[in-house]
Amino acid sequence: SDGLEEVRAGLRPQASDGLEEVRAGLRPQASDGLEEVRAGLRPQASARPVVAVAGGPAFSFSYAEHTELLVAAGAEVVVFDPLRDEGLPDGTCGLVVGGGFPEVYGGELAANEALRKDVAALAERGAPVAAECAGLLYLGRELDGLPMCGVLDVQARMSERLTLGYRDAVAVSDSVLAVAGTRMRGHEFHRTVVEPGAGAAPAWGVRTPRPRVEGFVQRGVHASYLHTHWASQPGVARRFVERCRTS
């Protein structure tokens, strides 16, 4: 049968384009959201919080999976360049600043005062901010004497010593990324030092190359040297996006 008999009998065939449900006032499973708009409801896609992700030459190291996980968790990810953009993307609810080489572009980052103030204002409002390595340096007060965002009261400087290696870490403090006790694996790769190395509420506890705590949890900010791969703990992205919705 070509299915015409079922249609004529008023029955729904197994394969359908969904028109019968629309005509009956029902919403089909697949939809572009127009029905909710016409009904005065907010479509699910428009409820996505905007998460700004730093990119460009100064912040060139990040895992593609982080962006994918944020999108899967319901975020609208917008990439911006801290060297060029004078403000965060419109509607930014959360910020992710990954790795890179801010020490190479320190002068240009410092010169972009408008963006630095925008980042500081976002953090001051308690919005979720996740920063790793280069992101940690950018959130500090200064880097090699050049002003950065001032979100964290830390000074960063170049060092002759390379810090490199894999780390098994445990979250020390509840944060926008994880609850205390969450275990993650990551790596360090940097030639800089921040002073102090940890805040009153540290981000991580690690055992190698020596037992220590490191990083900072401060209101909505989670910042540390540790590069983590969120695919090992997908709940990290979901938690971050949920905080973006509620902060």
Side-chain angles (χ1 to χ4, degrees):
S1 169
D2 60 1
L4 292 176
E5 290 77 13
E6 289 88 341
V7 175
R8 294 189 183 107
L11 301 176
R12 176 171 177 75
Q14 187 170 6
S16 166
D17 59 2
L19 291 176
E20 288 77 16
E21 289 89 341
V22 176
R23 294 184 182 117
L26 301 175
R27 176 168 179 76
Q29 187 171 5
S31 166
D32 59 4
L34 291 176
E35 287 77 15
E36 289 90 340
V37 175
R38 294 184 182 117
L41 301 176
R42 181 173 181 80
Q44 187 173 2
S46 298
R48 290 177 172 266
V50 175
V51 175
V53 175
F59 298 97
S60 55
F61 177 81
S62 62
Y63 293 114
E65 289 86 351
H66 287 193
T67 296
E68 293 168 358
L69 286 166
L70 288 169
V71 171
E76 177 185 348
V77 174
V78 181
V79 178
F80 71 103
D81 184 352
L83 296 181
R84 308 283 180 259
D85 296 318
E86 295 184 353
L88 292 169
D90 291 343
T92 294
C93 298
L95 173 63
V96 176
V97 190
F101 303 93
E103 63 274 13
V104 177
Y105 300 95
E108 294 165 80
L109 291 171
N112 194 347
E113 184 178 2
L115 179 62
R116 291 192 289 108
K117 288 182 176 179
D118 213 8
V119 170
L122 182 76
E124 181 62 26
R125 294 199 301 268
V129 179
E132 293 184 347
C133 201
L136 167 63
L137 307 184
Y138 186 56
L139 294 187
R141 189 170 68 250
E142 61 180 52
L143 170 59
D144 280 337
L146 295 169
M148 294 289 112
C149 295
V151 173
L152 302 172
D153 189 18
V154 301
Q155 292 178 300
R157 57 179 174 81
M158 290 296 296
S159 168
E160 295 182 357
R161 179 174 177 271
L162 172 64
T163 299
L164 173 65
Y166 290 105
R167 309 287 185 249
D168 288 312
V170 59
V172 177
S173 310
D174 287 343
S175 73
V176 295
L177 289 184
V179 297
T182 301
R183 295 186 176 275
M184 294 190 73
R185 187 168 173 80
H187 76 273
E188 285 186 274
F189 183 91
H190 56 90
R191 288 186 181 274
T192 57
V193 175
V194 295
E195 296 173 344
W204 302 109
V206 296
R207 294 182 177 180
T208 56
R210 64 187 187 284
R212 72 191 194 282
V213 292
E214 70 95 30
F216 304 81
V217 173
Q218 180 177 298
R219 298 188 68 184
V221 175
H222 182 286
S224 80
Y225 266 126
L226 191 66
H227 290 282
T228 58
H229 201 296
W230 294 359
S232 66
Q233 286 280 1
V236 165
R238 291 194 297 268
R239 182 179 175 90
F240 187 84
V241 172
E242 185 57 32
R243 293 300 179 91
C244 289
R245 289 194 177 99
T246 59
S247 296

